[in-house]
Amino acid sequence: MAPMFEIPACGDASEFRGTAFTYLMGRIAFGGTDVDALAYSRTAAKIRTDGIDHYLIRLDFTRENPEGLLFVIDLGQPIELPLAPMHCLCIFVPRDMVDGAMHGISALHGRIVTGARGRIFADYMKVLASQASGLDNADGPAMADSMIAMMRSCLEPREGTESQTRSVLDATQLGRARRFVDAHLTSADLGPEIMAEGLAMSRASLYRLFRPLGGVARFIQQRRLQRIHDLLSSAEEHRRISEIALTYGFPDEASFSRAFRREYGYTASEARAMRGLQKVDRLAGDPEKLALSPPERMMMWGDWMNRLAE
């Protein structure tokens, strides 16, 4: 779980019990865990540095709720979960697959999904867990498509109170705005005026939408830095750092270097030297083996999550 969450040490516990399984179905990962008590969080710093931008749909089984509680985590938003045993089924879906097919799911972040539609999706996850081992690799893409269709039928928020409607609308608009920014990161003119025009929104509405994220300019800079960080972590990227920075809208190398170090706590040159090991360096194991790439070492969750986003 270290590629996705900050996990504090378990104290003086003498042992830790856990089992897990995972199936890759197209660009979706489906699995389950049954482990001793863990506390974990997804912090703003973790979100900035790991590049994981997925939704997590979890069905938690507890003594009080043996049929399971269904809830949604937007891995692009901070969350902190308390110390507790974790017996659950999980679905990990890249944001672009969900946002392109349905609206407002990010408004469910951290919330339990109840009602008949929630129970139907919970039952779907249970059936999938019981039958997944019988699927062929060729079934993966079709299963992923059917899962997205089920999510739209069962998890897409319906209109309710005015505040709920506003929350869903804001989540939908924010998803559109995120996609617009990511599509125009190399544009020197990218800013509130261009975004407002491209999204058919007033600048006031745009500012209100991005206020919880630190503002429009801050968000654009973070996405540019994240894109550059991803490029520097790729062995296939050979351009000079200054050239990449200029391509992504920074006026000069000095201002880029200050912004990069402030965002990540290390320099762009250090990020390039690590070549993507940031996503696995917190995992336990032989450092020499961790430095290898698949198939020379076993696949890890960081690799899997990156693969889903491709």
Side-chain angles (χ1 to χ4, degrees), residues 228-239 241 244 266 268-280 290-293 297 303 306:
I228 294 172
H229 191 287
D230 292 343
L231 289 171
L232 294 176
S233 298
S234 171
E236 299 177 358
E237 177 55 68
H238 302 293
R239 288 177 294 173
I241 293 175
I244 299 173
Y266 47 83
S269 296
E270 290 170 335
R272 167 161 273 175
M274 289 187 282
R275 283 298 187 195
L277 295 183
Q278 300 93 333
K279 295 185 175 69
V280 297
L290 290 177
L292 298 174
S293 297
R297 64 168 166 79
D303 303 312
N306 292 333

Side-chain angles (χ1 to χ4, degrees), residues 291-306:
L292 298 174
S293 297
E296 284 74 23
R297 64 168 166 79
M298 293 180 63
M299 291 284 288
M300 295 181 177
W301 257 108
D303 303 312
W304 284 31
M305 296 299 284
N306 292 333

